[in-house]
Amino acid sequence: MTTSLTLDLSTSASILGIQPDLFLRFLKAKNIPGVLFFSEEPKVSIFTLAQLLNTQPEVLMDWLEDQALGQLMEEVDDDDWLDEEAGKAFYQSVLAKEG
């Protein structure tokens, strides 16, 4: 599985906390490097997003991973198969393997 280093317009705008149409106008007006217009809707490099947020790409990627994991955890929040403590233990084991 290949991880993409670009995000769609909606996701990028959401990370920045703005509406996609406002972000698109900004991108077109500023001609920012790292924005790819292969179709009508651009793809935005995570490096460009990190620069716009004045942070490091690694910090942004870690945050995105945490958000995705949090969303997955919410999806199984009411699941009887995996209780809160078991989920927390699993999450800690994943973090320990990464570190």
Side-chain angles (χ1 to χ4, degrees):
M1 179 178 184
T2 305
T3 302
S4 176
L5 295 176
T6 60
L7 299 171
D8 62 33
L9 180 68
S10 292
T11 304
S12 300
S14 177
I15 290 168
L16 294 171
I18 59 174
Q19 296 297 319
D21 59 329
L22 293 174
F23 188 43
L24 181 59
R25 281 189 289 194
F26 172 79
L27 293 174
K28 287 182 175 180
K30 298 295 183 181
N31 195 23
I32 297 173
V35 179
L36 309 171
F37 284 92
F38 292 120
S39 64
E40 197 171 305
E41 184 174 299
K43 295 286 189 174
V44 182
S45 163
I46 62 157
F47 303 101
T48 298
L49 284 174
Q51 185 177 19
L52 290 171
L53 293 167
N54 195 28
T55 191
Q56 297 296 314
E58 296 84 6
V59 172
L60 179 58
M61 288 299 291
D62 287 345
W63 183 82
L64 290 170
E65 288 174 355
D66 289 347
Q67 292 297 311
L69 184 57
Q71 186 176 9
L72 290 172
M73 291 172 74
E74 283 180 16
E75 289 175 9
V76 296
D77 193 31
D78 296 328
D79 193 336
D80 292 334
W81 182 77
L82 187 67
D83 67 7
E84 180 180 348
E85 288 304 314
K88 190 174 186 179
F90 175 74
Y91 177 61
Q92 294 299 327
S93 72
V94 169
L95 290 179
K97 289 177 186 174
E98 289 180 358

